[in-house]
Amino acid sequence: MIDIKRRSALIVVDMQNDFLPGGALPVAEGDQIIDGINELARKFYNKDKIVIFSQDWHPEGHASFASSHEGKNPGNPIEGVPGIGPVLWPDHCVQNTYGAEINERIEKKYGIAIIQKGTNPNIDSYSAFFENDKKTKTGLTDLLREKRIKNVYVCGLALDYCCFYTAMDAKSEGFNVFFIKNLTKGIDIPVKNIQNSLDSMTSAGIEIIEV
Ligand SMILES: [Zn+2]
């Protein structure tokens, strides 16, 4: 296990039932990272370290759902709709449903906050920092600054969407960012999206690590 730097936050992204095997938008093997995330979260449960969970939290009929667009299916590309895409998704993480709940095996007691995202019906939010319009803030930056956090560690689901955008925004917000590759799993849509995401993060100065 790595030595975690002081003044660090662990962001556990979207460990929700719909993103796990059996859910509406399952990430293959997503359940295999649960124990490792709990073990790491326990180490962040410390006076100069914090754990924060993010939760995809859509109203019914959200614009990121293929079902909201005439003639479209999940996985179809979508262009020209600001804040949505590059592909459409099945209905998932609808507010107050079982699918939207953070999985019961995740030890939420270690967290100080749950950041909900994707609540605007017309804009998606892959990042836990900003909605996809890159303007609307979730409040996560302010929370981290208030807690005097300098280092952000990212894990959870899915590698090439919500984890990727969360890590990139953490970096652009001025934090040192560590991306925990073995505590995340990807969707890989479109093809090679996982490798491209890892390459983009490395180029941006994010450290890809394993714990
Ligand atoms: Zn979503």
Side-chain angles (χ1 to χ4, degrees), residues 56 58 92 124:
D56 213 27
H58 298 308
H92 65 278
D124 209 355

Side-chain angles (χ1 to χ4, degrees), residues 14 19 25 56-58 62 64-65 89-90 92-93 117-118 124-126 162:
D14 296 8
F19 293 129
L25 178 43
D56 213 27
W57 193 247
H58 298 308
H62 191 259
S64 71
F65 300 166
W89 305 111
H92 65 278
C93 298
K117 61 190 183 60
D124 209 355
S125 186
Y126 295 145
C162 295

Side-chain angles (χ1 to χ4, degrees), residues 25-175:
L25 178 43
V27 182
E29 303 179 339
D31 53 333
Q32 292 182 12
I33 60 176
I34 293 174
D35 292 341
I37 288 174
N38 286 334
E39 192 184 331
L40 185 59
R42 203 172 299 131
K43 292 184 162 42
F44 274 79
Y45 194 55
N46 183 307
K47 72 176 190 317
D48 64 357
K49 303 178 185 72
I50 57 173
V51 177
I52 290 168
F53 295 97
S54 74
Q55 185 176 32
D56 213 27
W57 193 247
H58 298 308
E60 279 183 45
H62 191 259
S64 71
F65 300 166
S67 63
S68 302
H69 302 264
E70 188 80 35
K72 293 280 192 185
N73 291 311
N76 285 167
I78 179 97
E79 281 174 25
V81 183
I84 300 296
V87 295
L88 291 168
W89 305 111
D91 291 23
H92 65 278
C93 298
V94 174
Q95 294 171 8
N96 303 306
T97 62
Y98 173 77
E101 287 174 19
I102 293 174
N103 184 261
E104 58 273 14
R105 283 176 55 210
I106 289 284
E107 293 183 41
K108 292 193 285 295
K109 66 185 177 194
Y110 298 127
I112 62 158
I114 297 176
I115 300 287
Q116 294 182 327
K117 61 190 183 60
T119 57
N120 182 323
N122 299 312
I123 305 175
D124 209 355
S125 186
Y126 295 145
S127 161
F129 288 89
F130 292 95
E131 292 188 351
N132 290 3
D133 63 2
K134 300 282 174 207
K135 287 188 283 236
T136 313
K137 294 179 172 205
T138 61
L140 180 52
T141 301
D142 290 341
L143 176 61
L144 295 178
R145 292 207 176 121
E146 183 188 307
K147 298 288 180 190
R148 298 166 48 80
I149 294 300
K150 285 196 170 302
N151 309 291
V152 168
Y153 293 71
V154 177
C155 66
L157 299 172
L159 186 158
D160 43 337
Y161 281 92
C162 295
C163 294
F164 168 71
Y165 286 101
T166 296
M168 292 294 273
D169 282 348
K171 185 73 187 173
S172 68
E173 290 288 79
F175 300 100

